[in-house]
Structures are given as C-alpha cells and as structure tokens.
Amino acid sequence: MDIRKAMEDRVLFFDGAMGTMVQQAGLEGGQQPEIYNMIHPEIITSIHKAYIEAGADIITTNTLGANKYKLEGTGYRVEEIIGQAVALARQAAGDRWVALDIGPIGQLMEPNGSLSFDDVYEAVARQVKAGVKAGADLVIIETISDLYEMKAAVLAVKENSSLPVFCTLTYDQSGRTMMGTDPLTAVNVLEGLGVDAIGANCSLGPKELLPIVDEILKYAHIPVIVQPNAGLPRLEDGVTVFDVSPEEFASYGRKMVDKGVRIIGGCCGTRPEFIEKLREEIEDLVYNPQLSNDRRLTAVSSASNTIIIGEDIRLVGERINPSGKESMERALKEEDFDGIISEAIEQKMAGAHILDINVGLPDIDQKDIMTKLVSEIQGMVNTPLQIDSTVPEVIEAAVRIYNGKPIINSVTGEEESMKAIFPIAKKYGACVIGLTIDETGIPETAQGRLEIARRIVETALKYGIPKENLLIDTLVLAASASQDMTMETLKALELIKTELKVKTILGISNVSFGLPKRSLLNRAFLAMALSRGLDAAILDPFDKSMMETIDSYRVMADLDEYAMDYINKYR
Ligand code: THG
C-alpha cells in the first residue's frame, strides 16, 4: 500500500534505534555501524525482525551515515552499503515499508564550515539514487540540526526520486536546533518544499520534546513525525545507559499521539521493547488520528527567524537596490559586498523585518551576483529576504540557495510571467508578490486592478500555490507623472483586500519620484495606505519620518499594546 495513503487514515509506527542495537551486538568504538550491513548482515536482519515483531510498520535501513564523507576510509562505497542495507530491510520487512535512512553529512556547511549547498546536494543525491535502485519505499532525513543541510537534502530526494520524504530536526534546551532553527521556521520552510511529514527526533528525551512537538503541531498542515530518544546517554561503569524506561517512553508517546502526532518511533537508546510498549499504549488511538490544522499563515523565514505577515504592519527594507545609488552600483560591479552587508544589518537595526535584494544592473552577471550576495547576507543577518528581479533565472537561482522561505518580487498578471514564476514559487515554497499589471499595462481603475489580482490568485491556485503565499501589489506610481492614478492604487488595495482576502504590499517611495522633499510625500502616502489596511510596506527604514508614521499608526490601530513601544521610544 502507498504510505501516503496509509498516513491519511491511521497512526504509523517506526522502529527504534539501530546504532544502540548494533553497539549491543558488538560494534567497536570508531567503527561505522553501516559496515555491519556487509560484515554481519545476519545481525542487521535480526534487528529488523525484532522491530517488526514489536509492531513497527516502517523499518529503517542501517544507513544513517552512509554518505561519501563518512564512508571514506571504510573501504566501502555508498552504493554497495545502501544496496545491501535496503535489501536486508526489504527481506525482513515483508509487506511493511522500508525507509531509506539519511542522517547528517557530519561536517559544517558554509559559512561555518567548508561544505557547500551543492556538496550536500550531490552527496545525498548519490544516497537517494542507490536507495531507489534497491527498492526503498520512502526516505527519512533525520537528526539534522542545520536547516540548510535539510533543504539541500530534500531537494536531492525530490529531484532524484518520487519517494515520500519525512524530515526530522533535532532540538536542544533552547527550543531550537543547534544552528538556531525554531519549530515554526522549520515547518514554514519544509512544508513549502513539499515534504510529506515533518517533525523532531533524538533531542533530549520524550518529556523534553513535548513543548517542541506542541509548536510543530500548532503550525503544521502535514503529518507530524516524532522519534524521541530514551533520554540522553550516560556512561555507567563504562557502559552507555539511557534513563527512560519503555513504559515511560510509551506514556509520553501516547501524549504526543493524543495531541496529534501521526507517525511515531524511537531514536537513540530505544529497543524493540520500547516500540512494543508504545504500540500497546497507543493501540486505541491508531485509527482515530487528530484532524489537521486549518490555520493558514502568510509567513516568510530565514533559517532562524519567521515573520508573520497580516497580524502587524511589516516593513521591507528597500535600500539594497542600485537604483539611483552610485555607491551600490559600484559595489555590485566590483563584488565588494562589505558595504552592502552593513546596509543589510543597519536596515534591520532601523526596524526592517524583511530585506529586498535587487541587483538589477546591465552588464553584470545578475545570477552570479545575486546568489553570491544572498549567500553572504544570509550568513550575517537573520532577516528574511525578498528576491527582487525581473529575470526568472535569477529568481530561481537565488530562491534555490536561500536558507529559508523568501518572498519572490515579483510576478505580473501576464501569462508569460506567471508561467515562468509560479513553478518556481511552488517548487521552493516561496511567497510571491503579484503586481496588478498585465499585457495591456496598468489599469487606470481600481476595478481593473482587482480583475488582474483575481486572475493572479486563481492562476496561482492552479499551480498549487495557496492564497496565503501571495501578496498583491496594486502599484504605486510617481505622483509627479501619474497624479490621477495615485488614489486609485489605494482604492484598489482596499477592494482587493476585501474581495480576495489576500495580503497586500506597496513600494511607498515610488510615489515621490521627481518631486522635491520626497520624504514628506512618502510619509503622507504611507499613512493613507496604512489606514486602508496595507500589510507590508517596502520603504527606506532610514527615513525617520516614515518610521515615526509607522510607530504612530501602530498606536492608533491598536497594534502597539498600551502604546508601550511608542512610549519607550519617544518618552
Ligand atoms: N513594488 C515592488 N517592488 C519594488 C517596488 C514596488 N521594488 C523596487 C521599488 N519599487 C522599491 N524600492 C525602491 C528603491 C529605491 C528607491 C525607491 C524604491 C529610491 N531610490 C533613490 C533614487 O532612485 O533616487 C535613491 C535613494 C538613496 O540614494 O538612498 O527612491 O513598488 N513589489
């Protein structure tokens, strides 16, 4: 049976630890557990069988570290280890499912280490191809603490197989992964990438995982998977022991399934009796899985920070854009990014929640510069990014290597634009700004812009992009040249918000092009747009008067509780 189908109807059980079992069977320190597939296949088979007898529905291959980096020096190739490991699991599993296990590469990625995004992708792609060839039913990417590594691995699975992919990150005391990812961010990014189940494994122990599991369940719309360990390992008389008993493990497992966890198993220190107890404890809940979450958020993420759009006004810093700025133009041409990175950090400090990145210059390799700049900036600031380009190839390259869920700026109502941009937004799970312009230009009336917005929303849905991933921009024109259309932009904003119930965004400073004292026009127009319900403003966060307008608006719109932010800043 297709596991994707089974997941809809019932709770599924994974097996428990493999490493712990192989160690018990005599693995020596420093030996890779994966070589037991080759030198002691009978031991691996007996472990799989013990888990099946305990009631596991899904058997995990003994391949956690079967990547080219970790196998170096073992004398075995990735393909032979994985081929053999899947075959052993397959033989033991009978009609149960076999999950190809993929763990951390074991080295840090750039900028903290030397491994690139493509290095991880290539290594995992090799594992996946071998697993597919050997007949695995699904892939589980587990015990990952770097969201960037997870993203590269997920793409490697999805681009080299059609297998379901389950993802678990491992969290520490801070409630984040070692590299700083929180559960909301993990869900926002990985759901967007189209994984089949998301959750947590290993970590500190089942009790300590409960608050993390609550967070994941709060935000996930896909099945949640949890594989706790039996507590942290401890050495007792030279022997590794785990403090959590099978009974205690099972009682926490029940709590998790009761809250809505749909796939459950064990990590380090859990043995077949843990899975047996877990099944017994949960038996009555197996066919009563909890309903899924229907709360839909518009949210963008860096690897360690998620910004929800729609609950409070959000500011997109516009300063990383060569338009009218010679110094920025020179820096981009010379690939001298220090000043641009400072600009990113300072915009964040000035109050930007999101940063727009635009490298639109003639005579440069925009794809190359954009990806380099995004890599640099994402290593220095945790502000989610908005990729601003008119070239689909530039957008795709940046969105692919972005460590998070970005906003694509932008798509238009033109068929050709939607055909180029929507597949990218869908594949990488990005938010996308829809501009109300089409083949015939920008409609003069609000009604005309509503019709384009409606077409953008409907077309996005056909591509599988949910409405909450769209932001509509009704296009601010320069009041100096298009004075009669300035108010129409705001009317369109209000109309679109009520009719289509989508989030909205505007580039505020466009309004003042060509007129003196731009800041004055900008701040007045911003106040007008805010009162019509604008969700996100693209602006210069260094403009004090605009920031003061935002601060004032938040008081009057009851977004700044007891005006505390206002008082703290201006008293
Ligand atoms: N909608 C969407 N995206 C956009 C816009 C929009 N991206 C680009 C633009 N409009 C928003 N960004 C800017 C960036 C710079 C300026 C205005 C809008 C600007 N620059 C000054 C100039 O050109 O003279 C220079 C500023 C300086 O020197 O500091 O005005 O509407 N979706």
Side-chain angles (χ1 to χ4, degrees):
M1 186 181 186
D2 184 352
I3 195 165
R4 285 189 174 112
K5 186 104 196 51
M7 280 157 63
E8 288 173 16
D9 312 327
R10 51 165 298 207
V11 172
L12 294 176
F13 292 84
F14 256 91
D15 48 10
M18 171 60 74
T20 303
M21 300 292 286
V22 178
Q23 264 162 21
Q24 268 180 16
L27 182 79
E28 284 160 33
Q31 255 183 334
Q32 284 275 121
E34 292 77 22
I35 67 171
Y36 263 45
N37 295 309
M38 313 308 279
I39 60 174
H40 287 302
E42 72 293 346
I43 291 177
I44 302 304
T45 300
S46 73
I47 295 170
H48 288 324
K49 285 201 169 135
Y51 278 124
I52 287 167
E53 275 161 32
D57 301 302
I58 306 165
I59 296 301
T60 313
T61 59
N62 177 29
T63 55
L64 182 81
N67 63 66
K68 70 171 185 179
Y69 298 96
K70 284 193 171 170
L71 290 184
E72 216 167 277
T74 62
Y76 294 104
R77 300 178 61 245
V78 171
E79 287 73 15
E80 55 188 330
I81 295 263
I82 288 182
Q84 169 80 347
V86 173
L88 293 175
R90 182 87 277 159
Q91 276 160 26
D95 60 357
R96 321 280 166 110
W97 293 284
V98 170
L100 172 69
D101 196 20
I102 294 179
I105 296 284
Q107 295 181 27
L108 291 177
M109 290 177 75
E110 292 168 350
N112 306 300
S114 59
L115 221 55
S116 73
F117 188 78
D118 290 342
D119 290 337
V120 176
Y121 178 92
E122 292 303 333
V124 175
R126 233 179 113 178
Q127 292 167 269
V128 172
K129 284 179 200 158
V132 169
K133 196 168 162 208
D137 299 307
L138 67 142
V139 178
I140 178 160
I141 311 171
E142 55 142 318
T143 326
I144 304 289
S145 51
D146 187 346
L147 186 68
Y148 206 29
E149 184 173 354
M150 184 64 96
K151 178 166 177 175
V154 168
L155 288 172
V157 176
K158 294 187 82 75
E159 292 177 358
N160 292 283
S161 80
S162 53
L163 297 181
V165 53
F166 297 0
C167 299
T168 56
L169 292 166
T170 181
Y171 293 87
D172 61 30
Q173 287 94 331
S174 64
R176 292 174 178 262
T177 71
M178 190 181 67
M179 300 301 287
T181 299
D182 57 284
L184 165 58
T185 296
V187 171
N188 196 40
V189 173
L190 296 173
E191 261 197 24
L193 285 171
V195 306
D196 295 276
I198 183 171
N201 80 319
C202 210
S203 309
L204 304 160
K207 183 175 173 210
E208 292 77 6
L209 258 182
L210 279 175
I212 304 280
V213 170
D214 283 339
E215 279 288 294
I216 298 172
L217 285 167
K218 193 165 142 194
Y219 298 113
H221 308 89
I222 56 175
V224 171
I225 170 173
V226 185
Q227 297 182 308
N229 56 16
L232 286 178
R234 193 159 61 71
L235 269 184
E236 206 174 84
D237 304 324
V239 185
T240 306
V241 294
F242 293 86
D243 288 331
V244 177
S245 68
E247 290 73 19
E248 199 184 345
F249 182 81
S251 81
Y252 284 111
R254 182 177 175 91
K255 281 199 177 76
M256 291 177 184
V257 171
D258 211 27
K259 287 165 184 281
V261 167
R262 300 287 293 275
I263 306 163
I264 189 156
C267 198
C268 307
T270 62
R271 290 169 273 112
E273 59 220 84
F274 284 67
I275 302 305
E276 197 177 339
K277 277 278 177 306
L278 189 65
R279 263 215 93 128
E280 272 171 33
E281 184 76 26
I282 298 174
E283 204 54 61
D284 61 312
L285 301 177
V286 169
Y287 287 96
N288 295 307
Q290 299 295 303
L291 289 173
S292 69
N293 180 358
D294 56 9
R295 189 160 152 259
R296 296 278 169 179
L297 291 176
T298 300
V300 290
S301 302
S302 69
S304 59
N305 179 25
T306 292
I307 299 292
I308 295 170
I309 298 169
E311 294 174 357
D312 195 343
I313 177 72
R314 296 307 186 187
L315 308 182
V316 182
E318 72 185 11
R319 296 185 58 85
I320 301 181
N321 186 326
S323 151
K325 274 193 228 121
E326 262 173 55
S327 60
M328 183 78 65
E329 200 175 317
R330 186 202 52 77
L332 288 172
K333 281 191 176 143
E334 292 171 10
E335 296 189 29
D336 175 9
F337 296 147
D338 289 357
I340 304 182
I341 290 164
S342 306
E343 196 91 18
I345 295 167
E346 281 162 24
Q347 286 189 89
K348 178 193 157 86
M349 289 184 346
H353 305 105
I354 298 165
L355 298 178
D356 188 272
I357 312 290
N358 182 312
V359 301
L361 283 176
D363 312 325
I364 63 165
D365 182 345
Q366 289 191 27
K367 189 167 137 182
D368 182 54
I369 301 291
M370 177 67 103
T371 49
K372 281 181 182 157
L373 190 55
V374 166
S375 301
E376 295 265 341
I377 291 175
Q378 70 184 355
M380 296 298 290
V381 274
N382 72 350
T383 312
L385 301 184
Q386 174 166 299
I387 309 299
D388 189 354
S389 174
T390 52
V391 188
E393 293 73 35
V394 174
I395 289 176
E396 170 149 31
V399 168
R400 183 178 179 87
I401 58 96
Y402 181 55
N403 188 6
K405 172 171 177 162
I407 299 176
I408 292 173
N409 187 13
S410 52
V411 71
T412 70
E414 292 162 284
E415 283 305 324
E416 202 172 315
S417 172
M418 293 193 284
K419 228 167 93 184
I421 298 300
F422 282 150
I424 302 169
K426 170 66 185 166
K427 177 174 179 182
Y428 299 99
C431 286
V432 54
I433 297 176
L435 307 181
T436 54
I437 176 172
D438 67 7
E439 290 83 354
T440 61
I442 303 174
E444 279 177 26
T445 64
Q447 193 64 37
R449 293 187 213 182
L450 167 66
E451 292 321 316
I452 296 179
R454 195 192 303 282
R455 213 161 60 234
I456 291 174
V457 172
E458 282 168 3
T459 311
L461 286 174
K462 283 190 197 137
Y463 280 89
I465 298 164
K467 200 158 79 173
E468 65 269 16
N469 278 0
L470 293 175
L471 293 141
I472 296 295
D473 182 336
T474 53
L475 291 168
V476 178
L477 301 168
S480 53
S482 316
Q483 198 170 1
D484 54 334
M485 275 158 86
T486 308
M487 289 305 289
E488 220 53 32
T489 296
L490 297 180
K491 276 187 212 153
L493 177 90
E494 204 165 26
L495 193 59
I496 286 166
K497 266 191 82 91
T498 35
E499 290 282 316
L500 304 180
K501 310 215 161 24
V502 284
K503 302 293 182 274
T504 52
I505 186 166
L506 290 177
I508 301 298
S509 5
N510 303 350
V511 79
S512 59
F513 272 119
L515 287 169
K517 198 157 169 114
R518 289 187 62 182
S519 165
L520 180 55
L521 291 164
N522 291 348
R523 91 188 68 141
F525 188 70
L526 175 62
M528 290 154 78
L530 289 170
S531 78
R532 304 254 185 163
L534 182 67
D535 297 291
I538 306 171
L539 47 66
D540 179 356
F542 293 0
D543 184 321
K544 200 163 158 241
S545 68
M546 278 209 270
M547 299 309 275
E548 287 171 350
T549 303
I550 296 285
D551 295 334
S552 315
Y553 168 75
R554 290 187 67 249
V555 172
M556 294 178 284
D558 196 19
L559 293 166
D560 178 3
E561 206 180 352
Y562 303 115
M564 285 313 287
D565 292 343
Y566 185 88
I567 292 167
N568 285 330
K569 193 162 163 187
Y570 296 106
R571 180 176 42 197

